[in-house]
Amino acid sequence: MDKILVLDFGGQYNQLIARRVRSEQVYAEIKPYNGISVEEIRKNGYKGVIFTGGPNSVYEEASPHYDATILDLGIPILGICYGDQLMAYMAGGEIASAENGSEYGKTTVFTADDILFEGIPQESICWMSHTDYVKTLPEGFTTIARTEKCPCAAMCDRSRNLYGVQFHPEVTHTVYGKQMLHNFIFSVCRCRADWKMDNFIETLVERYKKELEGKKVLLALSGGVDSSVAAVLLHKAIGKNLTCVFVDHGLLRKDEGDFVEKTFGKQFGMNLIRVNAEDRFLSKLEGVTEPEKKRKIIGEEFIRVFEDEAKKLGKIHVLVQGTIYPDVIESGKGDSAVIKSHHNVGGLPDVISFEQIVEPLRDLFKDEVRETGTKLGIPHELVWRQPFPGPGLAVRVIGEITKEKLELLREADAIFREEIANAGLENSTNQYFAVLTDLRSVGVMGDARTYGYTVALRAVTTDDFMTAEWTRLPYEVLEKASGRITNEIKGITRVVYDITSKPPATVEWE
Ligand code: XMP
């Protein structure tokens, strides 16, 4: 099997690079820059190496560097952003801070005639995010792309198959980024496309069969795509040794608890325990308004509930979680900065009475998780269910959480979802939901003054949830949802639509 090594220098998008490579059916492995030597790289037989981006500047003392002999191994290398600058620096070039400021966002790039840009127009849009740039090319390198501000947006040394790009081909905003990576993998590295998701499933099932043999395993089932796929995967490996605990924390969408119970308990025949813990969660959340605090409380309470359940079940050895890769990086578990602490990663208490935590989907992106789910035979409507955050409606009720506010939100959200379904738009937007803002405003109904909450509707279009655009929903659908929400729900006087993309906003409001 041909393999590409992604050498991680701490960028936000490093796993995304691996995912893009895997989507070309070539296996990609990620290693931290200080976790593998040149000798190991040579021995492992990688067909190519990709240096990721990173937040540093090459001349900083603490910046991550690598043994320059890698450039002479005869293995093709693609450096991205910081990886590009590092390659230039290692090869004897000069890096400088852009005099006319950083370049950030969608930028027009002019590319030369090169194997890396085969099938790409000479002028296209790329995603830039940098201050430093390659000022003086190392010997043997030529410039193969430029932007208005950046004289060297891409470079190469054809004799050694060394390539560097200042922009990010892995993010969807680089319109031809996928093609560039394709060109690197197949035309420069000469890989064969022989990696499939089935191999991944088989490997994991076999691994857990052995690793968890004779162990009692507890899984945190939320009913979302991630934990559902983790559950079915583990169930396939260890059957009845797996017990799924579904905590109904009272922060779920309308009718969701019953749906989960029916699907996993009855349809899949898993060991399923539903714990009704609404009061426990709501009393812990009383008076709490700070989003990170909410997440921490919920995350911790989740684990406590599991521990209580585990005690009832006797000796439990292993806890399984449906953590996926974006949760890991956004919680700052890689080298990148913390954006939000996701309950299933950031909020783990220090003292935990399980021997081991298993996260089978830790390396996958959402669409890869869905593909895994489909291969595992999980019904379409579950695999394609929109994501739902672990802390549930707690991060969609802005400010203090009360039972009444949750009830208002649940109804508004159900109406919005119903109207999206009525318009046949479920597959045209990747996530859509209502948020109950903490803002109250004046309205009029009949002849009377009303004073109620403002609901915000949010719908986003994305394929990896790392970046997202707000979905251009038809006005008619928004109008219908708004009309129904304000008419059918007493206590809501106003509906607004959220038109911010990610970045700068996140998908969830908290
Ligand atoms: P954000 O708001 O971070 O959301 O842009 C990206 C995606 O992640 C979901 N999300 C979460 N999922 N635990 C989860 O399991 C969490 O704490 C959490 N916070 C956000 C969000 O719904 C979106 O799909």
Side-chain angles (χ1 to χ4, degrees):
M1 183 171 67
D2 286 348
K3 285 184 296 191
I4 295 278
L5 172 68
V6 177
L7 205 54
D8 181 359
F9 290 98
Q12 275 275 315
Y13 304 121
N14 43 28
Q15 180 73 19
L16 192 52
I17 301 169
R19 187 200 151 279
R20 296 278 182 247
V21 177
R22 295 198 295 254
S23 72
E24 298 285 344
Q25 298 185 351
V26 173
Y27 187 67
E29 231 168 62
I30 302 186
K31 299 271 185 203
Y33 72 93
N34 51 4
I36 185 162
S37 67
V38 172
E39 187 46 27
E40 285 166 316
I41 292 179
R42 196 187 57 73
K43 271 205 240 140
N44 280 341
Y46 295 107
K47 299 283 280 188
V49 178
I50 298 178
F51 292 177
T52 73
N56 300 78
S57 205
V58 289
Y59 295 115
E60 279 168 18
E61 215 168 286
S63 65
H65 282 208
Y66 200 76
D67 182 345
T69 59
I70 189 174
L71 303 182
D72 295 311
L73 279 186
I75 303 176
I77 303 175
L78 173 67
I80 295 175
C81 195
Y82 178 79
D84 167 58
Q85 295 156 15
L86 183 69
M87 178 188 282
Y89 170 81
M90 284 157 75
E94 190 194 346
I95 312 306
S97 253
E99 288 128 26
N100 46 1
S102 325
E103 234 180 347
Y104 182 79
K106 291 179 184 171
T107 310
T108 302
V109 63
F110 303 93
T111 49
D113 199 11
D114 188 274
I115 197 170
L116 191 68
F117 303 128
E118 224 170 71
I120 293 165
Q122 282 182 342
E123 186 180 330
S124 65
I125 297 295
C126 72
W127 182 260
M128 282 288 197
S129 173
H130 72 117
T131 305
D132 287 0
Y133 75 106
V134 177
K135 188 176 178 194
T136 314
L137 283 175
E139 220 181 292
F141 279 77
T142 45
T143 296
I144 51 170
R146 62 175 180 84
T147 68
E148 205 177 300
K149 275 191 171 180
C150 185
C152 178
M155 60 174 193
C156 82
D157 173 350
R158 281 193 195 94
S159 65
R160 290 192 285 176
N161 275 327
L162 302 178
Y163 283 83
V165 288
Q166 182 53 67
F167 50 86
H168 288 271
E170 70 278 21
V171 304
T172 46
H173 298 305
T174 297
V175 178
Y176 294 95
K178 191 170 163 6
Q179 181 66 37
M180 293 174 197
L181 289 171
H182 176 95
N183 291 344
F184 176 68
I185 297 164
F186 296 108
S187 305
V188 181
C189 303
R190 307 209 159 271
C191 288
R192 275 166 310 180
D194 55 5
W195 186 77
K196 298 237 163 21
M197 190 55 88
D198 303 79
N199 308 4
F200 172 78
I201 295 171
E202 262 169 49
T203 312
L204 278 193
V205 168
E206 284 312 309
R207 177 177 148 196
Y208 291 128
K209 244 184 209 164
K210 283 197 201 111
E211 208 176 295
L212 305 179
E213 199 191 341
K215 295 197 172 168
K216 258 190 143 176
V217 180
L218 189 64
L219 181 138
L221 185 69
S222 72
V225 186
D226 307 341
S227 62
S228 302
V229 173
V232 178
L233 191 75
L234 262 292
H235 186 244
K236 199 172 156 83
I238 60 168
K240 290 286 177 191
N241 280 347
L242 173 73
T243 302
C244 293
V245 170
F246 165 49
V247 177
D248 188 342
H249 49 21
L251 303 164
L252 296 169
R253 286 174 291 206
K254 196 175 176 183
D255 300 329
E256 195 156 41
D258 298 340
F259 173 78
V260 170
E261 194 173 340
K262 195 170 118 224
T263 311
F264 293 93
K266 298 214 171 82
Q267 193 178 327
F268 285 105
M270 291 183 190
N271 276 337
L272 177 78
I273 297 169
R274 177 175 177 177
V275 190
N276 291 316
E278 184 187 21
D279 292 343
R280 203 169 149 168
F281 277 87
L282 292 192
S283 70
K284 281 260 150 70
L285 287 166
E286 212 178 300
V288 179
T289 54
E290 212 266 306
E292 280 299 285
K293 207 165 167 200
K294 286 183 185 175
R295 280 167 189 272
K296 287 264 153 46
I297 289 172
I298 294 166
E300 212 159 298
E301 200 56 19
F302 244 97
I303 301 296
R304 299 292 169 227
V305 174
F306 286 129
E307 284 178 334
D308 290 352
E309 284 311 307
K311 273 183 213 140
K312 286 186 214 155
L313 290 167
K315 178 78 186 158
I316 292 280
H317 306 93
V318 181
L319 176 72
V320 183
Q321 294 198 308
T323 319
I324 72 167
Y325 195 76
D327 307 339
V328 179
I329 17 174
E330 297 213 346
S331 299
K333 294 289 153 177
D335 271 355
S336 38
V338 178
I339 296 165
K340 283 179 190 179
S341 58
H342 283 232
H343 91 275
N344 37 2
V345 183
L348 277 184
D350 302 334
V351 189
I352 189 157
S353 57
F354 304 101
E355 288 166 10
Q356 190 188 350
I357 293 186
V358 166
E359 295 172 317
L361 310 175
R362 206 184 157 81
D363 289 335
L364 301 188
F365 271 86
K366 200 75 169 191
D367 49 347
E368 293 181 305
V369 173
R370 289 210 165 98
E371 199 186 332
T372 310
T374 306
K375 296 261 187 233
L376 283 167
I378 302 177
H380 183 268
E381 66 270 25
L382 217 155
V383 168
W384 285 98
R385 234 172 144 206
Q386 58 168 315
F388 186 64
L393 300 183
V395 292
R396 294 180 183 169
V397 168
I398 310 307
E400 191 183 357
I401 299 160
T402 63
K403 245 183 175 162
E404 294 68 35
K405 281 178 163 181
L406 284 168
E407 207 39 52
L408 289 177
L409 176 58
R410 245 181 227 120
E411 292 304 320
D413 186 66
I415 291 174
F416 185 39
R417 283 191 287 137
E418 216 172 283
E419 287 309 321
I420 293 269
N422 288 345
L425 290 174
E426 284 153 309
N427 296 326
S428 312
T429 173
N430 301 97
Q431 191 174 9
Y432 48 98
F433 53 86
V435 174
L436 189 75
T437 74
D438 211 18
L439 180 83
R440 280 194 283 174
S441 68
V442 176
V444 56
M445 198 152 234
D447 288 328
R449 176 190 187 273
T450 55
Y451 187 59
Y453 283 103
T454 303
V455 157
L457 302 180
R458 176 100 165 120
V460 294
T461 303
T462 172
D463 61 7
D464 53 28
F465 291 89
M466 304 282 286
T467 58
E469 295 273 356
W470 59 276
T471 307
R472 272 60 172 173
L473 288 180
Y475 284 167
E476 300 73 43
V477 176
L478 292 171
E479 185 184 11
K480 191 88 194 287
S482 160
R484 281 192 57 197
I485 290 170
T486 43
N487 277 300
E488 293 174 28
I489 310 171
K490 201 164 165 277
I492 296 177
T493 42
R494 203 172 289 266
V495 175
V496 296
Y497 188 51
D498 182 350
I499 54 163
T500 21
S501 293
K502 173 185 180 176
T506 51
V507 175
E508 301 290 346
W509 275 37
E510 287 194 338

